[in-house]
Amino acid sequence: MMTDNIIWLDFNDAPEQRDELVSDTDVLRVGVLDRLEAVLHYLFPQGRIRGGKFYVGDVDGNAGKSLVVELDGPRRGLWKDFSTDEGGDVIDLWARSQGRSARHDFPRLAAEIRQWLGIVSHSHSHSQSVVRQPARTNAVDELGPYTAKWDYLTPDGQLIACVYRYDPPSGKEYRPWDVRARMWRAPDPRPLYNLPAVSKAKQVILVEGEKCADALIAAGIVATTAMNGAKAPIDKTDWLPLAGKSVVIWPDRDAPGWDYAENAARACVAAGCASVVILVPPTTKPEKWDAADAVAEGFDCATMIAQGERRVVKAAAPSLPTFTLGALLDDDSPLPPDLISPRVLTPGGMLVFGGAPKVGKSDFLLSWLAHMAAGATFLDMRPPRPLRVFYLQAEVQYHYLRERVKDVRLPSHRLLEARDNFVATSQLHMVLDDAGLAQIIPAIANAFRGLPPDIIAIDPIRNLFDGGDAGGENDNGAMLFFLSQRVERIRQEVNPDAGVVLAHHTKKLGKKQFEEDPFQALAGAGSLRGYYSSGMVLYRPDESRSTRQLIFELRNGPGIPLKHVDKIHGEWREVDSSERLVMQEYGQRLDAERRRKCDVILQILFDEAANGRCYTANQFAEAFEGKAGLGGERTIRDRLSALATQGYIKYFRNASDYGLPPARTKFGYLCVEGMVLRSVIGEPDPNTGELPTREVAVLPTHFKCLQSGAALPVENPEVWVYQDDINDSQEPA
């Protein structure tokens, strides 16, 4: 409204800014989810798609499998990093990949996503709505609504052009839109498709048309195409983004497709590609069969790209990675974390575990691997987290394998992780030749619901050995063939970063010879020692004693001192190498006395509860000081602490449920397995004088953590898992 040259502005119809922001966020989220696979390959070129999920190492884009993005169903776009236990939606993932916060940096983040998607912001569209001309001309409008659209972007994600597909009655047609010129035409020069991912890839698959490129991209393969496919004018296309890359051209199975491949191959060579090959489509496929058809029918595209018939247009020059002293000195990037520290097994490393027959290799290996699967320390060897372990064993039948597994002593609070993280085979009757690998590789790849294994263990080498035509396991040439062509093939097919553990026997050597170089006792030692990154040998120096030596050899870290180990009460432990062996009889008497005192404590707690009395640790130590041969108050407290650490004593904090006063301690009242609390519930019987009582089973609510010493809630109060029988190092004499 305007009167007397005064302009009155009515803001009542102005859009509510918060609603506009929410709407804009929804538009961005829908746009990103619609092109989720392309977005993920743009953000994380080293990621892979497997089984409806996208895998990458972390939010920084490192190679690996810890971060998983859902691609299917209602959870599409949700992600979780299992190494850090972080997660969120795809907008948050985009922000984290750029080192930003989706909450605090949203305006900048939204602008970046809009630019990548080719979406004009609301404020920009409002301000130019008066002067903007219709995007389409009459000629294009006559084709009807477009049925498909592909965006061409610069390597940094800026929109260059869009290609629209129309399907009028006269047949399919394509129309390019030059974003910068804002005209219905192809840009000059014409860009390649999917440049953000192409710019970061070493190998690129060149196909015929955007539909084929999108099909391969969705399968986790970096693909591109020239605008207009087989009809693309080669001389008007910018091929320079492919310079220095290995290009594999996948033509449609027809004459125009092969002509396109030949012309594109010459252009790629002229652009300076490192190598150029043209795949030959299988002759069994129908006319016009292409990459999109291959993906739709579940064809093994990766194998065809890697091993399929091809015509080499330009071979790759052999490249040898070299590093100057300056580059090595200036590289301060962190070392990859150990799979098993300290440097016992590193990512992509190989550990050979040897020992003579009947020394206990398989029993030791089973216990060690189960602890790694549980994320628990074993003889000072520590995993960074619960590891996924595939145990390929060829000695023990199923029933005896499960018997051994039930004897492994794992911390109760770690058992849940180990149940799924440890996968084993029963006794195998095969060798690792081509036929054996065809069975083994899929079994390992599918063992952990699509996640890759961290450790692949083979026990023993002898039963699965295939040295080709070179000979047996004692032959260095045959051993090298087995390691490079069999074991490495398993690792490369399943997870190149997995650690490999090989159980192997040692030859008979004299004691002096063994002490001088124990690893020379490994059969095929020449090839093994030149190939592995670490070694362990289990050796019994005295056949009359059960104590064994555990000897280490590390290629990538400082030496680990020899350990003396023994299996005591079902658990492998490190023992004193001198005093306990020399004074074995005296030590046995001490063990018996310690065991007696611990049994006395457990029995007292049980009997006292039957008489209606429960104790905290301090109350028990004060009440029974100098009684039953238990020693002083401090000694009793130390024994109670050791028994709690071992799982023989737990705690209950719900004192009121049993009619007890609150315990003035962070742990609570002491509790043992099967304990029953008897309490008086009324007046004496007038006839007999007997007091009426009630018996209630006492169940623990907390236990003492073996690692931290903290009081943690029990998972199942009905189940008692003893972590330690009698640990000499924790108990007082």
Side-chain angles (χ1 to χ4, degrees):
M1 179 175 66
M2 184 170 66
T3 57
D4 299 330
N5 297 324
I6 298 177
I7 300 176
W8 297 89
L9 301 178
D10 187 354
F11 292 96
N12 292 329
D13 295 330
E16 210 278 308
Q17 296 299 311
R18 181 176 180 84
D19 292 341
E20 180 179 314
L21 180 60
V22 173
S23 175
D24 191 33
T25 305
D26 292 339
V27 169
L28 295 180
R29 182 176 286 106
V30 170
V32 171
L33 289 177
D34 184 51
R35 299 175 56 193
L36 180 60
E37 288 78 7
V39 167
L40 294 175
H41 283 293
Y42 165 64
L43 297 175
F44 310 112
Q46 297 195 65
R48 292 183 180 181
I49 294 178
R50 285 186 180 177
K53 295 180 181 1
F54 181 88
Y55 297 95
V56 72
D58 49 38
V59 294
D60 295 323
N62 294 311
K65 302 289 182 180
S66 296
L67 193 151
V68 182
V69 185
E70 299 288 343
L71 300 180
D72 298 331
R75 295 179 57 81
R76 178 174 170 86
L78 298 182
W79 65 278
K80 183 171 182 179
D81 190 334
F82 287 91
S83 64
T84 63
D85 204 31
E86 297 175 321
D89 66 2
V90 67
I91 300 295
D92 179 62
L93 182 59
W94 188 309
R96 297 289 294 275
S97 72
Q98 307 300 315
R100 301 194 186 110
S101 165
R103 179 176 181 182
H104 300 293
D105 303 322
F106 184 77
R108 182 177 178 185
L109 178 67
E112 180 180 312
I113 297 175
R114 275 196 299 270
Q115 185 181 51
W116 194 90
L117 294 173
I119 299 174
V120 180
S121 67
H122 289 298
S123 59
H124 188 65
S125 62
H126 289 325
S127 63
Q128 297 189 6
S129 60
V130 176
V131 299
R132 180 175 297 137
Q133 299 299 320
R136 298 183 179 180
T137 66
N138 291 334
V140 174
D141 288 340
E142 293 174 358
L143 299 176
Y146 65 82
T147 56
K149 172 179 174 287
W150 296 277
D151 295 337
Y152 281 72
L153 310 172
T154 64
D156 59 1
Q158 298 182 27
L159 188 64
I160 304 173
C162 304
V163 173
Y164 295 86
R165 171 174 169 164
Y166 300 88
D167 288 278
S170 57
K172 65 181 179 181
E173 293 194 35
Y174 296 88
R175 294 287 187 269
W177 170 258
D178 187 336
V179 172
R180 293 167 178 170
R182 302 204 60 77
M183 297 178 64
W184 288 102
R185 70 176 192 185
D188 186 19
R190 301 184 181 208
L192 293 173
Y193 187 60
N194 193 28
L195 283 181
V198 168
S199 65
K200 301 177 183 180
K202 294 181 180 179
Q203 183 186 69
V204 178
I205 314 304
L206 177 63
V207 294
E208 185 180 325
E210 297 89 354
K211 179 181 177 182
C212 292
D214 281 347
L216 292 181
I217 290 169
I221 299 171
V222 178
T224 188
T225 185
M227 191 177 289
N228 278 37
K231 299 179 181 179
I234 300 299
D235 58 338
K236 293 184 179 181
T237 300
D238 182 8
W239 300 96
L240 288 178
L242 298 179
K245 302 183 184 299
S246 298
V247 176
V248 179
I249 304 176
W250 185 331
D252 291 2
R253 191 174 180 273
D254 54 20
W258 191 260
D259 291 340
Y260 164 73
E262 292 278 5
N263 293 331
R266 288 191 288 271
C268 289
V269 172
C273 295
S275 66
V276 182
V277 300
I278 303 175
L279 294 177
V280 179
T283 57
T284 56
K285 297 301 179 182
E287 188 78 4
K288 298 185 179 300
W289 184 82
D290 58 21
D293 297 326
V295 173
E297 68 187 39
F299 185 78
D300 191 348
C301 298
T303 299
M304 178 173 168
I305 292 170
Q307 305 174 16
E309 183 182 353
R310 66 198 57 218
R311 185 173 84 79
V312 178
V313 179
K314 178 183 178 181
S319 61
L320 181 68
T322 58
F323 311 95
T324 65
L325 176 63
L328 295 172
L329 292 174
D330 295 340
D331 187 353
D332 295 324
S333 59
L335 293 172
D338 296 341
L339 285 174
I340 303 175
S341 62
R343 300 287 176 88
V344 174
L345 186 61
T346 53
M350 178 182 291
L351 181 146
V352 174
F353 176 49
K358 306 302 181 183
V359 76
K361 290 193 307 296
S362 294
D363 186 272
F364 183 96
L365 182 61
L366 178 63
S367 184
W368 178 38
L369 294 177
H371 278 75
M372 299 303 100
T377 299
F378 181 85
L379 294 175
D380 296 328
M381 292 180 279
R382 300 177 299 278
R385 55 176 172 77
L387 302 178
R388 294 180 290 275
V389 177
F390 192 95
Y391 183 34
L392 184 67
Q393 70 90 26
E395 277 194 332
V396 184
Q397 297 174 350
Y398 169 77
H399 297 292
Y400 307 104
L401 175 65
R402 65 186 176 95
E403 181 181 50
R404 289 190 181 187
V405 166
K406 291 180 180 181
D407 287 338
V408 175
R409 304 288 297 279
L410 291 174
S412 59
H413 63 288
R414 299 277 190 176
L415 188 59
L416 186 60
E417 290 94 339
R419 290 179 65 93
D420 293 328
N421 283 338
F422 182 89
V423 176
T425 62
S426 58
Q427 184 181 30
L428 295 176
H429 298 283
M430 65 169 63
V431 294
L432 294 182
D433 55 11
D434 289 334
L437 294 180
Q439 297 183 58
I440 293 299
I441 290 173
I444 300 176
N446 298 323
F448 303 101
R449 301 182 300 280
L451 296 175
D454 297 303
I455 295 177
I456 303 169
I458 300 176
D459 179 21
I461 291 178
R462 169 186 291 174
N463 292 22
L464 298 165
F465 188 83
D466 175 48
D469 298 327
E473 60 190 285
N474 292 312
D475 183 272
N476 283 326
M479 179 61 73
L480 185 60
F481 177 88
F482 176 74
L483 296 175
S484 61
Q485 303 300 316
R486 300 311 188 203
V487 177
E488 278 300 333
R489 183 174 165 188
I490 294 175
R491 171 158 48 193
Q492 292 302 320
E493 292 276 350
V494 175
N495 178 16
D497 293 327
V500 172
V501 177
L502 303 177
H504 197 29
H505 69 276
T506 54
K507 297 179 292 187
K508 290 185 178 180
L509 296 178
K511 184 175 181 180
K512 182 178 180 181
Q513 187 179 4
F514 192 93
E515 290 175 350
E516 289 176 353
D517 190 355
F519 292 91
Q520 196 59 37
L522 294 167
S527 295
L528 275 173
R529 299 184 77 178
Y531 209 94
Y532 67 56
S533 57
S534 54
M536 291 189 342
V537 168
L538 194 64
Y539 172 59
R540 193 196 305 269
D542 187 343
E543 293 296 330
S544 66
R545 300 182 184 277
S546 62
T547 303
R548 279 143 280 197
Q549 294 179 355
L550 186 61
I551 308 166
F552 298 86
E553 182 178 51
L554 304 185
R555 293 276 189 263
N556 299 323
I560 299 177
L562 176 150
K563 295 179 182 293
H564 290 82
V565 300
D566 201 353
K567 191 171 184 182
I568 303 173
H569 305 300
E571 182 177 1
W572 287 93
R573 304 181 191 169
E574 186 172 3
V575 298
D576 192 319
S577 62
S578 56
E579 180 182 358
R580 291 303 304 274
L581 292 178
V582 174
M583 305 179 65
Q584 186 174 20
E585 183 178 350
Y586 176 68
Q588 290 175 346
R589 293 200 302 269
L590 290 180
D591 288 344
E593 178 60 15
R594 291 190 182 99
R595 191 178 305 280
R596 183 197 69 80
K597 292 178 180 178
C598 290
D599 288 343
V600 168
I601 289 175
L602 298 178
Q603 190 63 47
I604 290 175
L605 287 171
F606 186 88
D607 293 341
E608 287 291 294
N611 293 320
R613 294 183 290 272
C614 292
Y615 299 87
T616 65
N618 286 337
Q619 290 171 347
F620 186 89
E622 292 172 357
F624 293 94
E625 181 179 16
K627 298 179 181 179
L630 295 180
E633 181 180 332
R634 180 176 178 179
T635 300
I636 296 175
R637 274 198 297 266
D638 290 341
R639 292 190 188 282
L640 291 172
S641 178
L643 287 168
T645 300
Q646 296 155 11
Y648 287 94
I649 289 178
K650 297 183 182 179
Y651 307 92
F652 65 95
R653 293 182 176 177
N654 53 338
S656 60
D657 293 347
Y658 302 100
L660 298 173
R664 296 181 178 180
T665 171
K666 65 177 183 178
F667 284 97
Y669 285 97
L670 305 175
C671 175
V672 298
E673 186 176 12
M675 193 166 97
V676 175
L677 178 64
R678 182 180 290 111
S679 56
V680 177
I681 59 173
E683 299 297 328
D685 186 288
N687 298 321
T688 63
E690 294 182 357
L691 292 171
T693 60
R694 177 186 63 176
E695 293 185 354
V696 180
V698 179
L699 298 177
T701 62
H702 291 74
F703 71 97
K704 184 178 180 182
C705 177
L706 179 64
Q707 280 73 31
S708 66
L712 301 178
V714 299
E715 296 176 1
N716 186 344
E718 302 285 352
V719 177
W720 285 67
V721 178
Y722 299 109
Q723 300 172 15
D724 207 342
D725 258 335
I726 301 295
N727 191 325
D728 294 336
S729 64
Q730 291 185 349
E731 291 194 2

